[in-house]
């Protein structure tokens, strides 16, 4: 028995180690096929700290309650119990073997008992959760839909088997050593010790040889399996996750949200005024992704957290962030032999490699290399166009991913090629792009229309809004109010604009606007993929803002649109524009705290707040809108099921505002249905895009008789104004304010 155990274990160990090492080297080579990216190496100490924090704290996983706790013990046990494998090798030669120095140390034995038990229980919990959420039962609602089931179950049952072997060996060790009472060394395994205590010494030794062999064989059979499957993300993420988190986009450890990265070619930002002749615009081949992109694809563990939060997937559309990353991973590894042999095509589609270089490349890899990155099933494309254009860039996938995959960056990079080189995108978005280019706003309205709301406000209230440089000196301005296209031109959003301006006037804040000098920030153009148009609009706006605020003590800007806020604050620094930017809810909260705005008039009703994605997830502004509503008398707040970090998109982001939804349920309808389940009187938000999308859906529900006629969709600023401004005299009794008046 002992000889057989030694031979089988050593053979399995050698094969598993060799194959796993070979696969690790192969993964490294595949990752290196990606384009250069020199931005991933700054602040190494902070990056190490981020890795340690995310792993030890399980910062993303622990948001999922019992799943996070169970996974923490599995992850910790996987790495911390590696010495039990060393111990098992020793037991093959001597059943009574213990690790030198620490083997008989009570603390080490107690650690093995506790962590081994909790790891086993943790993986059992994860197996049960997976079985309860099988796609065969839950369909698209299962976050495991589309994951490679056999790989996941194989990994989980491997860990379960190893955990059971650890506990069995602990029982056998105790029985062999004649342990006859409870103690810290056998805190958990003593029942096994007691049950096995009646066996003969020889039998106990043979059982130790057997279970030591099983533990080693299970471990290195797993190593063999992952060695033969280098794209097995559900297994390899245990190692690659550390690197993927270390090399994340944000050096300070933040998620890849907020700003989009500049468009690069060969690892360098493209100079749009004088681009290089060989510049690659966007991604049309998998090797055009940076090496970090290939690492992202390799690291995906197929857990489906991104999928479960994705508004597109939740409304019956073909986009699943998980399945997109998996498709790119399988394509990258399928094409890798061709790329590693020197294969690749230039911009004209000519093959760079010689026939001699490609002679040993498998036919399957050559066939994979011919697949278009973006294409329909008939075209044998890797990513279907409907998948690419379903994304709202809401950031839910990036926010939830436990290994920091940068889904949005990859999607936008593919869009950039489709828009700028192929001119292939949803036709209705073309009107928006043309309007931005010709008129500086997506509706194509005349520039002078940007001041219509100013005239309306003066007529309604007598308040005059000054234009900076014309009516007021920049040095006198506390805040430049960036109105935005929607705030200036869309009737519903204009109500927010006027309400905010009236509140600033009431609070005595000196502010001004750019008026006709303001132009679209380019948010929709950039997220659609037209980087050139974004650069043009952005450079124009940065020049205008720098000139307007040149004499201002602080270049301070306030915006009511989260998309404008995000672009000016986070993306204009890429164009040389460095400004202090806040959202209007942040300023309003500050003014309330200072006592410059005092909500006194009651606004009665049950209210639920919708988090705009570009205010919440992308910029972490969650509290100010809620705190404002807390201060308004009469309001009763109730959160929707999906809120804050897990807030559900309205459907307008990622330039989807300008594209029709033809597949599945409308995203704004899904969100309004969630709000209506609370039977609210008011749905509030803090974004003009969200205001339009939610209003459209609520109006449709009213027409169907599915929503109360008095249900209002309003911006937080409108609520605050109704509570702050003096009520007209109505007799002896005060009447509650009317929302949205």
């Amino acid at each position: 028995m002992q000889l057989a155990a030694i031979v089988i274990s050593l053979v399995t160990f050698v094969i598993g180690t060799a194959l796993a090492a070979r696969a690790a080297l192969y993964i490294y080579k595949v990752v290196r096929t990606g384009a250069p990216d020199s931005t991933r190496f700054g602040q190494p100490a902070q990056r190490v700290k981020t890795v340690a924090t995310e792993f030890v704290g399980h910062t993303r996983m622990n948001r999922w309650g019992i799943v996070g706790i169970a996974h923490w013990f599995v992850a910790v046990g996987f790495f911390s119990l590696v010495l039990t494998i060393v111990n098992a090798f020793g037991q093959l030669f001597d059943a009574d073997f213990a690790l030198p120095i620490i083997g008989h140390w009570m603390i080490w034995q107690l650690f093995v008992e506790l962590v081994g038990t909790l790891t086993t229980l943790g993986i059992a919990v994860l197996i049960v959760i997976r079985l309860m959420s099988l796609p065969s039962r839950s369909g698209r609602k299962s976050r495991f839909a589309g994951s490679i089931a056999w790989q996941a179950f194989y990994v989980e049952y491997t860990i379960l088997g190893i955990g059971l072997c650890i506990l069995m060996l602990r029982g056998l060790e105790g029985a062999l050593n004649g342990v006859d009472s409870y103690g810290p060394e056998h805190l958990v395994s003593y029942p096994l010790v007691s049950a096995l205590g009646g066996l003969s010494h020889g039998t106990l030794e043979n059982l130790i040889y057997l279970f030591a062999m099983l533990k080693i064989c299970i471990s290195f059979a797993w190593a063999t399996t992952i060695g033969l499957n280098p794209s097995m993300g559900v297994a390899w993420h245990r190692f690659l996750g550390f690197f993927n988190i270390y090399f994340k986009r944000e050096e300070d450890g933040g998620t890849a949200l907020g700003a989009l990265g500049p468009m690069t070619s060969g690892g360098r930002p493209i100079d749009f005024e004088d681009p290089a002749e060989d510049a690659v615009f966007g991604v049309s081949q998998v090797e055009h992704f940076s090496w970090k992109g290939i690492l992202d694809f390799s690291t995906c563990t197929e857990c489906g957290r991104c999928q479960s939060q994705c508004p597109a997937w939740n409304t019956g559309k073909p986009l699943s962030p998980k399945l997109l990353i998996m498709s790119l991973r399988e394509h990258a590894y399928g094409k890798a032999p061709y790329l590693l042999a020197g294969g690749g095509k230039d911009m004209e589609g000519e093959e760079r490699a010689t026939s001699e270089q490609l002679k040993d490349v498998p036919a399957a890899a050559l066939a994979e290399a011919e697949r278009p990155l973006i294409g329909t099933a008939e075209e044998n494309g890797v990513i279907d166009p409907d998948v690419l254009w379903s994304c709202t860039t809401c950031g839910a996938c990036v926010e939830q991913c436990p290994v920091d995959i940068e889904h949005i960056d990859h999607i936008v990079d593919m869009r950039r090629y489709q828009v700028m080189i192929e001119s292939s995108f949803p036709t209705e978005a073309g009107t928006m792009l043309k309007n931005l280019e010709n008129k500086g706003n997506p509706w194509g309205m005349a520039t002078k229309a940007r001041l219509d709301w100013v005239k309306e406000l003066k007529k309604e209230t007598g308040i005059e809004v000054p234009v900076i440089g014309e009516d007021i000196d920049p040095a006198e301005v506390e805040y430049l109010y960036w109105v935005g296209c929607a705030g200036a031109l869309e009737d519903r959003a204009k109500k927010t604009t006027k309400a905010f301006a009236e509140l600033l006037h009431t609070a005595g804040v000196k502010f001004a606007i750019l008026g006709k000098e303001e132009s679209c920030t380019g948010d929709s153009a950039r997220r659609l993929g037209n980087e050139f148009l974004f650069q043009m609009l952005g450079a124009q706006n940065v020049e205008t803002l720098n000139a307007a605020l040149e004499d201002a003590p602080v270049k301070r800007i306030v915006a009511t649109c989260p998309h404008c806020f995000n672009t000016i604050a986070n993306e204009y620094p890429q164009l040389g524009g460095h400004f202090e930017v806040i959202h209007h809810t942040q300023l309003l909260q500050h003014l309330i705290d200072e006592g410059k705005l005092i909500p006194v008039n009651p606004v009665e009703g049950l209210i639920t707040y919708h988090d705009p994605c570009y205010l919440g997830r992308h910029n972490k502004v969650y509290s100010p809108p809620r705190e404002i509503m807390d201060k308004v008398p009469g309001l009763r707040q109730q959160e929707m099921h999906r809120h804050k970090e897990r807030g559900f998109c309205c459907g307008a982001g990622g330039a989807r505002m300008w594209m029709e939804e033809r597949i599945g349920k409308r995203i704004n309808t899904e969100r309004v249905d969630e709000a209506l389940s609370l039977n609210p009187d008011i749905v509030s938000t803090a974004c003009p895009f969200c205001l339009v999308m939610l209003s459209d859906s609520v109006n449709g529900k009213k027409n169907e008789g599915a929503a109360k006629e008095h249900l209002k969709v309003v911006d937080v600023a409108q609520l605050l104004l109704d509570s702050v401004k003096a009520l007209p005299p109505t007799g002896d009794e005060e009447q509650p304010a009317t929302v949205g008046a």
Side-chain angles (χ1 to χ4, degrees), residues 389 415-416 418-420 423-444 520 522-534 536-537 654-655 658-659:
W389 297 111
R415 285 182 171 188
R416 283 166 168 167
Q418 293 299 302
V419 172
M420 299 181 68
S423 295
S424 176
F425 49 89
T427 53
E428 57 266 33
T431 303
M432 178 269 291
L433 292 176
K434 189 178 297 182
N435 288 336
L436 286 181
E437 191 170 352
N438 296 332
K439 297 291 187 179
N441 68 80
W443 286 278
C520 181
D523 163 82
S524 290
R526 191 174 216 195
R527 277 149 186 78
L528 183 75
N530 195 328
E531 182 70 11
F532 179 79
L533 181 54
F534 165 76
M536 183 182 77
L537 292 167
W658 320 106
M659 294 181 259

Side-chain angles (χ1 to χ4, degrees), residues 12 16 154 158 216-227:
T12 308
Y154 176 73
T158 291
I216 292 167
C217 288
I218 292 172
S219 299
F220 289 97
W222 179 79
T224 300
T225 303
I226 69 170

Side-chain angles (χ1 to χ4, degrees), residues 667-677 694 697-698 701:
I667 293 173
N668 60 337
T669 301
E670 171 74 9
R671 186 55 163 166
V672 166
D673 283 343
E674 185 174 359
L676 292 179
S677 69
L694 298 177
S697 185
V698 164
K701 293 291 182 181

Side-chain angles (χ1 to χ4, degrees), residues 124-146:
V125 167
L126 296 180
I127 290 171
V128 169
I129 289 171
R130 187 177 292 273
L131 289 170
M132 291 173 63
S133 305
L134 287 175
S136 58
R137 296 179 179 177
S138 307
R140 286 175 67 98
K141 291 183 179 180
S142 169
R143 61 184 174 90
F144 303 116

Side-chain angles (χ1 to χ4, degrees), residues 179-463:
V179 174
D180 58 3
S181 63
Y182 266 109
E185 296 88 344
H186 294 279
L187 186 66
V188 178
S189 62
Y190 182 72
L192 277 173
V193 174
S194 181
L196 297 168
L199 298 178
S200 68
H201 189 274
T203 302
L204 290 171
E205 285 187 330
N206 282 328
L207 285 172
I208 286 177
Y209 301 146
L210 173 64
F211 279 96
M213 178 190 71
L214 282 174
K215 184 178 188 307
I216 292 167
C217 288
I218 292 172
S219 299
F220 289 97
W222 179 79
T224 300
T225 303
I226 69 170
L228 295 172
N229 295 278
S231 64
M232 190 174 173
V234 71
W236 280 105
H237 85 277
R238 283 164 174 73
F239 309 107
L240 299 179
F242 295 105
F243 297 99
N244 211 50
I245 294 170
Y246 179 87
F247 291 117
K248 66 196 302 185
R249 190 182 79 183
E250 302 301 324
E251 293 179 347
D252 64 1
T255 49
L257 294 171
L260 283 173
M263 192 168 170
T264 61
S265 177
R268 294 186 177 87
I270 295 174
D271 180 356
F272 280 86
E273 293 184 2
D274 184 24
E277 290 185 8
D278 60 347
V280 177
F281 291 84
V283 169
S284 64
Q285 300 171 38
V286 73
E287 61 270 27
H288 292 166
F289 287 109
S290 72
W291 59 264
K292 175 55 168 64
I294 309 296
L295 181 59
D296 270 358
F297 310 153
S298 305
T299 307
C300 178
T301 182
E302 303 174 27
C303 67
R305 285 167 179 80
C306 58
Q307 179 175 288
S308 71
Q309 304 297 302
C310 177
W313 183 259
N314 275 277
T315 53
K317 296 168 181 61
L319 169 63
S320 156
K322 177 188 72 178
L323 298 181
L324 179 138
I325 295 297
M326 288 172 61
S327 296
L328 292 171
R329 179 188 67 201
E330 298 308 315
H331 176 58
Y333 280 84
K335 189 177 180 179
Y338 162 80
L339 295 174
L340 292 172
K345 295 183 179 179
D346 58 25
M347 297 301 290
E348 286 73 39
E350 298 295 324
E351 178 59 60
R352 290 194 295 259
T354 64
S355 55
E356 179 65 22
Q357 287 176 289
L358 300 179
K359 66 181 177 64
D360 295 325
V361 175
L366 293 172
E368 194 69 32
E370 294 300 318
R371 296 180 67 191
L373 188 65
I374 306 298
T376 62
E378 292 76 16
E379 296 166 333
N380 197 28
V382 179
I383 304 298
D384 191 279
D386 284 334
V387 169
L388 187 66
W389 297 111
S390 291
C391 179
T392 67
T393 67
C394 71
C397 50
V398 180
E399 177 71 34
Q400 291 297 328
C401 182
V403 290
D404 283 295
I405 292 171
E406 299 162 4
H407 311 74
I408 293 177
D409 289 359
H410 305 320
I411 288 171
V412 172
D413 275 339
M414 290 186 283
R415 285 182 171 188
R416 283 166 168 167
Y417 180 84
Q418 293 299 302
V419 172
M420 299 181 68
I421 304 300
E422 296 291 333
S423 295
S424 176
F425 49 89
T427 53
E428 57 266 33
T431 303
M432 178 269 291
L433 292 176
K434 189 178 297 182
N435 288 336
L436 286 181
E437 191 170 352
N438 296 332
K439 297 291 187 179
N441 68 80
W443 286 278
M445 296 176 69
T447 302
K448 64 180 181 180
R450 286 185 176 273
L451 289 171
D452 286 351
W453 73 271
V454 176
K455 299 171 186 174
E456 294 169 13
L457 182 64
K458 183 177 180 181
K459 184 178 180 181
E460 294 166 8
T461 66
I463 296 172

